[in-house]
Amino acid sequence: GRLLLQQNIAERARSASLRDLLMDLRVVEYVGDIDKYRLFGDGGELYVWGRNEKLTGAGRRLRERAEAQRTLGEHAELVVVEYERSRLGQELASLVTRVSETIEFASYDIKSVSIVGGARVARYIEVKAVSAETEQFFWTRAEIEAAEILGSKYFLYLVPVRGGQMDSSAIRVINDPHRTIFKNEKEWNVEENVVVCTPR
């Protein structure tokens, strides 16, 4: 119930004008015996309001990052569409479709084909734009489930990003990623860090 702040000399100098104003307004007081500043009176309400304002800014930045990530993901998908059309050649290029364009939360982004023994076999592709250095990516539960169900027909295409630019010459194609990534502790570190709370 008490909000206390302890500052070193440099921090005190930087915040002196604001702190002095808050002290003049009798929102902050100095407690000498513990060498800390304390909010009192309506200070707690002011503190919570300030936190809300700060979190609003953080929320805006989070939305901006999410929009930038979505744009990056779309660009990566277009790179993979071109990659797949080139891989299949002009005769089969029309078989490559960007599913995410019409189904926003699809469990794969692109449907293509593999040629196995002369026959066409469906190829379901999830595209991830990844840092060229770490190749770290986030995988949704629906995508993991689709990878498990579709097995060898499911592919992950990791599109490396260097200095904000996609390197289409270094796309990493991973077949059956449920087996080769999700269930492969020797070669991949998989963190499941979503906390879900439900009342009993």
Side-chain angles (χ1 to χ4, degrees), residues 147-170:
E148 181 178 18
I149 292 168
L150 296 170
S152 62
K153 292 181 180 179
Y154 195 97
F155 290 76
L156 265 181
Y157 281 45
L158 304 183
V159 182
V161 179
R162 289 186 175 85
Q165 299 297 315
M166 302 213 172
D167 185 356
S168 59
S169 67

Side-chain angles (χ1 to χ4, degrees), residues 12 30 44 65 80 84 99 128 130 147 158-159 168 170 173 200:
R12 288 183 192 201
Y30 177 68
R65 281 198 299 272
V80 170
E84 278 296 286
V99 175
K128 301 292 183 185
V130 297
L158 304 183
V159 182
S168 59
V173 178
R200 293 184 185 275

Side-chain angles (χ1 to χ4, degrees), residues 2-199:
R2 296 196 313 158
L3 293 167
L4 301 170
L5 172 67
Q6 188 167 30
Q7 294 180 305
N8 62 36
I9 298 296
E11 290 168 337
R12 288 183 192 201
R14 275 196 306 272
S15 64
S17 59
L18 175 59
R19 185 182 63 248
D20 291 347
L21 172 65
L22 292 173
M23 290 177 79
D24 288 343
L25 294 171
R26 300 193 49 76
V27 174
V28 170
E29 67 178 346
Y30 177 68
V31 185
D33 59 330
I34 58 173
D35 190 30
K36 293 182 182 179
Y37 295 91
R38 178 173 64 197
L39 285 177
F40 72 103
D42 293 335
E45 293 173 31
L46 184 62
Y47 173 79
V48 171
W49 173 82
R51 293 283 293 163
N52 286 346
E53 287 297 309
K54 186 174 182 181
L55 292 173
T56 297
R60 186 182 66 254
R61 290 189 296 277
L62 185 63
R63 284 191 299 275
E64 289 168 356
R65 281 198 299 272
E67 179 60 24
Q69 194 66 27
R70 188 186 64 76
T71 302
L72 186 68
E74 286 179 358
H75 186 199
E77 289 172 17
L78 294 173
V79 165
V80 170
V81 165
E82 289 308 308
Y83 176 94
E84 278 296 286
R85 287 178 177 160
S86 175
R87 181 184 69 82
L88 291 171
Q90 192 172 9
E91 187 179 322
L92 300 176
S94 63
L95 298 176
V96 180
T97 57
R98 190 168 154 234
V99 175
S100 63
E101 196 170 22
T102 53
I103 305 173
E104 188 177 359
F105 298 107
S107 50
Y108 54 88
D109 298 311
I110 295 167
K111 187 173 180 188
S112 184
V113 294
S114 301
I115 307 301
V116 180
R120 297 177 191 172
V121 177
R123 177 183 285 224
Y124 302 92
I125 301 169
E126 176 60 28
V127 179
K128 301 292 183 185
V130 297
S131 160
E133 289 75 33
T134 67
E135 290 193 324
Q136 182 185 62
F137 64 91
F138 296 94
W139 211 4
T140 70
R141 176 57 54 192
E143 292 163 358
I144 293 168
E145 184 180 75
E148 181 178 18
I149 292 168
L150 296 170
S152 62
K153 292 181 180 179
Y154 195 97
F155 290 76
L156 265 181
Y157 281 45
L158 304 183
V159 182
V161 179
R162 289 186 175 85
Q165 299 297 315
M166 302 213 172
D167 185 356
S168 59
S169 67
I171 293 173
R172 183 172 179 186
V173 178
I174 302 169
N175 183 224
D176 195 359
H178 187 269
R179 179 180 57 82
T180 57
I181 293 178
F182 193 68
K183 294 294 185 182
N184 185 359
E185 293 179 3
K186 289 183 181 177
E187 296 181 29
W188 288 85
N189 181 32
V190 177
E191 296 178 42
E192 296 185 72
N193 58 1
V194 176
V195 177
V196 178
C197 302
T198 307

